[in-house]
Amino acid sequence: MTAMPTDTTKPTIRDHLPKLLKLLEERTVRRLGSVREQRVNVRIVAATHRPLDQLVREGRFRADLYFRLRVVQLELPPLRERGADVLLLARSFVAHHAARYGRATPAFSADAEHALMRHAWPGNVRELRNLLEQAVLLCHGQTLGVD
C-alpha cells in the first residue's frame, strides 16, 4: 500500500525562519491577515546543551540565527558540577513544595545531605525538584532522611 500524495505539506522551522530572523533583527512582525508590520518589544531566551558555535563552524546551524540569538550568553554548568548549590536548591525546593501542599518544611538529615551531594543528577535540576516534591509528600516527620 502506498501513501496518497497530498496538496499540503506540514510547515517546518525552515519555513518560518525568515520571519524569526526578521523579528530578531527588526523587532517587527506581521500578524496573520494583516498588511502592515507591527513593532513588538520581545526578549528571546534560548537554551541548549549543544555547542552551537561548533555547529555553526560545521555548517549544521545557521550562523545568521546564531549571531542574532547570541546577544548575552550564559554558561550554566550541570547540577552535578555545582557542589553546594545542590543543597541550596534542595532547601528551596523543599520549602516551596511544603508551602504548596500546606505542610511544615522538613529539614534534611546529615545522611540525606550527603546523598544529595553524591548523586550524579542525570536529570539535572528537574530531577532534584521532582524528587523533593515526592519527598515532601511522603514525609511523615520533621526530617527527610535516606531510606
Side-chain angles (χ1 to χ4, degrees), residues 56-116:
V56 167
R57 285 191 303 274
E58 295 171 357
R60 296 174 46 207
F61 192 87
R62 287 184 57 147
D64 54 350
L65 178 58
Y66 173 73
F67 289 112
R68 282 182 176 99
L69 287 174
R70 191 179 176 264
V71 175
V72 175
Q73 184 173 348
L74 302 174
E75 302 256 347
L76 188 60
L79 189 56
R80 68 183 163 274
E81 295 175 9
R82 292 174 51 197
D85 286 357
V86 172
L87 294 179
L88 293 172
L89 287 167
R91 289 183 185 110
S92 174
F93 287 141
V94 165
H96 169 79
H97 291 307
R100 179 177 176 197
Y101 293 109
R103 297 175 177 232
T105 302
F108 290 103
S109 70
D111 287 343
E113 287 183 352
H114 292 298
L116 289 169

Side-chain angles (χ1 to χ4, degrees), residues 94 103 106 108 129-140 144:
V94 165
R103 297 175 177 232
F108 290 103
R129 181 188 64 216
N130 292 341
L131 173 79
L132 294 173
E133 181 175 12
Q134 181 181 20
V136 166
L137 288 170
L138 298 176
C139 183
H140 296 294
L144 293 172

Side-chain angles (χ1 to χ4, degrees), residues 44-52 61 69 72 74 76 126:
I44 306 292
V45 177
T48 184
H49 64 282
R50 296 186 178 165
L52 290 183
F61 192 87
L69 287 174
V72 175
L74 302 174
L76 188 60
R126 286 183 189 95

